[in-house]
Amino acid sequence: MFEGMKSAIHWRFAKKLRNSNPDRAARHLVLAATGRGADVSRARRAVGLLVADKRYSDARMICREHITTGDPSGFWRHYESFVDELASSCRQQEVSGSKIKIALFNDTDFRVNIGCRLTSQGLKQQILDAFPAAEITSIGFNFAAFRKEFPKSTSAGGYELSDIEARLSTAYGEDAVDHITAADFVILQPEGSLDHRTTAEGLATFFTPILTARKLGKPFAVLNGTIPIYEGERSDYLKGFFRELGHVAARDEISAEYYGIEFLADAAFLRISPAPVADRDGCLITTGARNNAEEDVEILKAALKICKAWKLRPVVLTHAVERFSPYEAEIIARGGIFAETASIERAAETISTCRLHIGGRYHMAIFSLLCNVPSLLFDVKTHKNQWLERYSPRITLVHPHTDLDAAAAAVLSGGVSQGHQASTTAEKYVHFLKRAVAEQPL
């Protein structure tokens, strides 16, 4: 009990000092997350906070401690691989003698979500293939800014630079303008950031990196994202805006067709498929990007029934893993995996041991395709999953009332998944990027 009390005290100190004294806060986080009295859920939150603060050595220390004392679910082994991937990425960021500076807005390469990194790494590789000596600066964003109202409306047709800069700083940080000014080429990656709650003002704010680049005469491009199918004012705004820009591509055909823009299949498809695995006894279980906890738990329950019927190990690999914590002991007892994240390489190894994927995650369904694993993919408030079913015969779209037993039987009786045209897609990305710069000279 005394050890547990000490862990709780360290946790409180860490939260109190995180903004004012990050170094001391990090030490308290490590102490709160390790030792005999460390609460598992607190340790998992602590390592997440350290990763968010880019304190990778401290995060790895926690992982090592828990791996040494016992890691029956594989949570910490998978998480450690993620920490190592991030640390390695930081060391490789600087490029000597770069000939072109690229500002990449909304880069998702450092997120806990495996799918975000999968698509971001694919896009970055194509940028480097198009411009081998490029130096890429990654800029994240503030989701709340797309709900904020600004004085001006989107109906005016154009914006004053001061208004654009105000929106840009709110959404992407005070140094966002400096990043664009220093860049030779500005790229915005919409990814899955926009949804039906985003207002017309929010859309204008989201696209401020491109508005700024255009005002400053910088080459720009928008690609590797899904644009929701809006109606009315938002639809009219985006269709007109994209028509003016001319260098916009969506990663799904539904968005591309609706807005009259180019289609480039999701950059997640550009990853080289891992080597085939003969012994497959797992079932990958994921959540839905826009699901609530209750909806995700229903998916888990249905997936566990399939696992029992087909004698498959449950393999939980999802950012929303805490939603499944009441079932962790059962998953471990079945010889399964219960993990929040992993490096792309470790995730590929784990997914490749599965025979089936059940869940709502778009990018994890793509990752499963790369690993020759078919998916029963839930339709979860986004047309991305609908497009994916259209794109691949190994994706079966399901709903809460679908007969999953029958669907699983049909999918598992199928053959090996068909290969995808990664090389052709890669060539299209490189051509698109080079064309965007060529038609807007540096």
Side-chain angles (χ1 to χ4, degrees):
M1 178 180 285
F2 179 67
E3 293 295 332
M5 187 181 299
K6 284 202 305 183
S7 174
I9 291 171
H10 283 303
W11 177 254
R12 287 198 293 272
F13 271 117
K15 292 179 69 177
K16 184 177 180 179
L17 296 169
R18 193 160 174 243
N19 293 327
S20 60
N21 194 328
D23 291 335
R24 284 187 62 196
R27 288 196 292 274
H28 282 294
L29 281 173
V30 171
L31 290 169
T34 55
R36 286 186 300 168
D39 176 76
V40 173
S41 62
R42 186 180 294 140
R44 291 174 180 177
R45 293 199 301 275
V47 78
L49 292 174
L50 290 168
V51 165
D53 292 339
K54 298 184 178 180
R55 293 181 174 272
Y56 303 130
S57 60
D58 290 327
R60 194 174 191 279
M61 190 183 303
I62 294 175
C63 294
R64 280 281 95 201
E65 168 84 9
H66 287 274
I67 291 170
T68 301
T69 56
D71 184 26
S73 70
F75 181 98
W76 295 106
R77 292 191 299 277
H78 283 79
Y79 208 106
E80 182 185 42
S81 69
F82 164 56
V83 174
D84 289 343
E85 180 184 272
L86 291 183
S88 177
S89 296
C90 283
R91 289 191 295 269
Q92 295 172 8
Q93 276 191 54
E94 294 299 323
V95 179
S96 59
S98 59
K99 296 179 182 178
I100 178 173
K101 296 182 181 297
I102 296 175
L104 177 57
F105 282 83
N106 192 26
D107 177 36
T108 55
D109 203 10
F110 294 88
R111 293 188 187 170
V112 174
N113 187 303
I114 295 170
C116 288
R117 283 180 281 125
L118 184 69
T119 190
S120 183
Q121 289 181 17
L123 175 60
K124 277 185 171 177
Q125 186 55 58
Q126 299 321 300
I127 293 171
L128 292 173
D129 285 350
F131 311 104
E135 178 183 326
I136 302 173
T137 299
S138 301
I139 304 104
F141 68 98
N142 171 22
F143 267 113
F146 310 139
R147 315 277 183 254
K148 180 178 172 60
E149 294 296 328
F150 287 86
K152 295 184 181 292
S153 70
T154 59
S155 60
Y159 294 90
E160 295 297 327
L161 187 56
S162 59
D163 177 53
I164 296 173
E165 289 180 354
R167 294 170 183 263
L168 181 66
S169 297
T170 301
Y172 296 95
E174 294 183 358
D175 55 355
V177 174
D178 294 334
H179 287 310
I180 294 175
T181 302
D184 299 308
F185 185 24
V186 178
I187 299 174
L188 176 64
Q189 175 195 0
E191 227 261 269
S193 310
L194 301 174
D195 61 26
H196 286 283
R197 295 173 297 166
T198 309
T199 63
E201 288 293 319
L203 292 175
T205 302
F206 182 79
F207 287 100
T208 46
I210 301 305
L211 288 167
T212 306
R214 185 170 62 168
K215 287 281 187 181
L216 297 178
K218 302 274 186 178
F220 58 79
V222 180
L223 73 164
N224 201 38
T226 293
I227 313 297
I229 305 304
Y230 296 116
E231 296 179 354
E233 178 189 13
R234 293 177 295 178
S235 174
D236 294 341
Y237 170 70
L238 286 180
K239 286 179 178 178
F241 183 51
F242 292 159
R243 195 161 46 244
E244 288 179 26
L245 295 180
H247 298 284
V248 183
R251 66 186 183 185
D252 70 276
E253 287 177 299
I254 296 175
S255 291
E257 291 168 0
Y258 184 79
Y259 290 105
I261 56 181
E262 193 164 339
F263 163 61
L264 290 174
D266 196 302
F269 281 110
L270 298 171
R271 189 193 187 280
I272 297 174
S273 298
V277 175
D279 297 324
R280 295 172 178 262
D281 63 349
C283 174
L284 176 65
I285 305 171
T286 64
T287 52
R290 304 197 190 281
N291 276 2
N292 59 39
E294 184 178 309
E295 290 167 330
D296 280 336
V297 169
E298 288 305 311
I299 289 177
L300 175 68
K301 289 179 178 178
L304 290 177
K305 288 180 180 178
I306 297 298
C307 288
K308 186 175 182 179
W310 288 84
K311 295 181 172 56
L312 299 175
R313 290 182 307 113
V315 176
V316 170
L317 190 54
T318 179
H319 181 29
V321 68
E322 74 283 350
R323 295 182 174 181
F324 296 160
S325 56
Y327 300 87
E328 182 174 0
E330 177 184 347
I331 290 166
I332 293 172
R334 293 192 188 188
I337 291 171
F338 189 84
E340 180 178 5
T341 190
S343 69
I344 296 300
E345 294 305 317
R346 184 61 185 257
E349 292 174 6
T350 297
I351 295 171
S352 292
T353 65
C354 295
R355 290 183 62 195
L356 178 66
H357 165 226
I358 300 175
R361 285 281 174 185
Y362 163 80
H363 277 123
M364 293 304 275
I366 292 178
F367 211 159
S368 296
L369 285 176
L370 297 176
C371 298
N372 293 327
V373 179
S375 289
L376 296 180
L377 187 62
F378 280 79
D379 193 4
V380 289
K381 306 181 185 75
T382 170
H383 68 262
K384 292 183 296 186
N385 290 1
Q386 296 168 19
W387 168 75
L388 202 52
E389 183 185 46
R390 180 199 298 184
Y391 185 81
S392 170
R394 299 291 282 175
I395 302 289
T396 302
L397 210 60
V398 296
H399 305 270
H401 302 297
T402 297
D403 183 345
L404 281 188
D405 291 332
V411 168
L412 290 170
S413 63
V416 178
S417 81
Q418 301 297 314
H420 59 91
Q421 302 298 316
S423 59
T424 304
T425 302
E427 291 170 5
K428 290 179 179 178
Y429 266 87
V430 170
H431 177 70
F432 177 90
L433 290 163
K434 287 185 174 180
R435 177 160 43 87
V437 170
E439 294 178 2
Q440 308 167 93
L442 297 175

